[in-house]
Amino acid sequence: MSATYRQPGLVITDRHFEVPLDHDEPGGERIELYGREVVARGRAAEPLPWLVYLEGGPGNGARRFAGKQYWLGRAVEEFRVLLLDQRGTGRSTPATRQTLPLRGGPAEQAAFLGHFRADSIVRDCEAIRPGLTGGAPWTVLGQSFGGFCALTYLSYAPEGIDTALITGGLASLDATADEVYRAAYPRMARKTAAHYDRYPQDVARVREIVAHLAEHRTVAGDGHVLVPEAVQSLGILLGTGDGSHRLHYLLENAFVRTPGGRTLGDAFLEQVRAELSFAGRPLYAVLHEAIYAQGAGPTAWAAERVRAGLPGLDPVRALEGDGPVPLTGETIHPWHFDCDPALRPLRETADLLAQRSDWPRLYDADRLARNEVPVAAVVYHDDLYVDAEHSLRTARAVRGLRTWVTDEYEHDGLRASGPRVLDRLLALARDEI
């Protein structure tokens, strides 16, 4: 049942949709999608054009706003906005350690999750669009993985798009998962060096934490086991505008004195657990490498394999010298499924997905080369999560795509900039600048 309610300056309506699990079998099983329709107060009755927002991820529900936060205030100046919880996320039919056993064992779960990539998300959008817009195309705003979805949309259903706006999400059209991670680790190294340069005291702090975890089995409150690689992976914070500062404040109160000696404090452990847990977005971990797979063989835990071939990334071995422990992030490894209680039951399912070799293609390079849809994208100069060189190569491959390359913002520029990023992308797409 739909419900309509108000926030400051906005009228919001819950929207529920049913779509096929497998769009190639429209008469088969159906799943539910949830979206939040948002319109400026006083304009709810107007025939406004639609904008659908595709969140980053994979595995994240659409951002929950309180009033006209961030970019949303700019969007509702001219659009009716649908904040879509992509399949498996948010209030859409969930896919978690609790619900996936309803499918059967790991093989059945892996087959089910094969329908949760960008190609299915795009077909979901096309299934619900006509009922919302009356058949008119809509503007697509894709953040990060949502931008990957927008490229898939332009590849296979461009007739559904009036304008495509992409923020930090111009994926490589042909890079394998191995190539993605070979490009990612050097970016992580640069972000780590910049963090330690800003906060040199964190070198000793991270070394002490890693040394403690190497000697003591440490479990956070929900059963989350902290290993040296887990704390090392806090480097994922360094891809946002305030991430380096957040990491510094997290590290500065790691230890407390107890009758048994110095140990990691409960407050620190809880903060780390909150940062590292995938309980709220298990699909991020389970499908992370699959979003790069396009029939070029199995991903086979690409991030782990690439890491093993690079020198100096072992956090415990780093303690043998007197230098900093390298930080990592935006990579998923088998140890995640051993340490995180939200992922442990899905380890075998994740292994099966990593072994799959027949993933369909997500992008049509020929179609994109003939693109006629206005497209604008912001490329963040040294984005931790999406390689800028890959993005610019894709930008050159999509006919008519206009880019804004900037180091003013990090990957979270759409949120951090208020209305500015969205406003500039609209102007670019409309040839106003």
Side-chain angles (χ1 to χ4, degrees), residues 51-213:
L51 178 149
V52 60
Y53 174 63
L54 301 179
E55 185 62 88
N60 294 325
R63 186 173 298 276
R64 272 48 179 167
F65 294 90
K68 296 181 177 181
Q69 287 182 307
Y70 313 127
W71 56 268
L72 187 59
R74 172 64 182 88
V76 297
E77 289 178 8
E78 55 183 288
F79 295 103
R80 190 179 300 269
V81 176
L82 182 69
L83 302 172
L84 180 66
D85 284 350
Q86 298 161 24
R87 54 173 54 201
T89 75
R91 290 178 62 184
S92 296
T93 299
T96 69
R97 67 171 179 85
Q98 295 172 297
T99 66
L100 284 169
L102 294 170
R103 317 305 309 183
E108 291 78 16
Q109 294 174 26
F112 176 71
L113 292 175
H115 299 294
F116 283 72
R117 297 197 311 157
D119 44 1
S120 294
I121 293 167
V122 166
R123 296 179 80 174
D124 288 343
C125 289
E126 279 301 277
I128 67 178
R129 176 182 58 83
L132 291 174
T133 71
W138 53 12
T139 293
V140 176
L141 173 59
Q143 160 67 17
S144 191
F145 171 70
F148 292 22
C149 294
L151 282 172
T152 302
Y153 213 149
L154 289 166
S155 294
Y156 297 109
E159 66 279 3
I161 306 178
D162 176 84
T163 304
L165 310 172
I166 297 173
T167 69
L170 277 181
S172 170
L173 301 181
D174 54 12
T176 65
D178 286 53
E179 291 168 331
V180 167
Y181 293 115
R182 279 198 291 270
Y185 282 109
R187 298 198 308 277
M188 297 176 196
R190 291 195 296 272
K191 296 292 187 183
T192 298
H195 174 77
Y196 285 140
D197 187 57
R198 175 181 286 119
Y199 292 115
Q201 61 269 54
D202 286 355
V203 172
R205 288 170 177 166
V206 174
R207 287 178 59 88
E208 186 178 9
I209 293 166
V210 168
H212 180 89
L213 294 176

Side-chain angles (χ1 to χ4, degrees), residues 106-107 110-111 177-178 285-287 289-290 293-302 305 334 346-359:
D178 286 53
V286 177
L287 290 177
E289 294 193 354
Q294 300 191 79
T299 59
W301 297 107
R305 288 186 295 99
L346 303 177
R347 171 60 188 267
E348 192 173 345
T349 300
D351 280 332
L352 290 171
L353 289 166
Q355 295 165 20
R356 179 171 171 174
S357 60
D358 62 344
W359 293 104

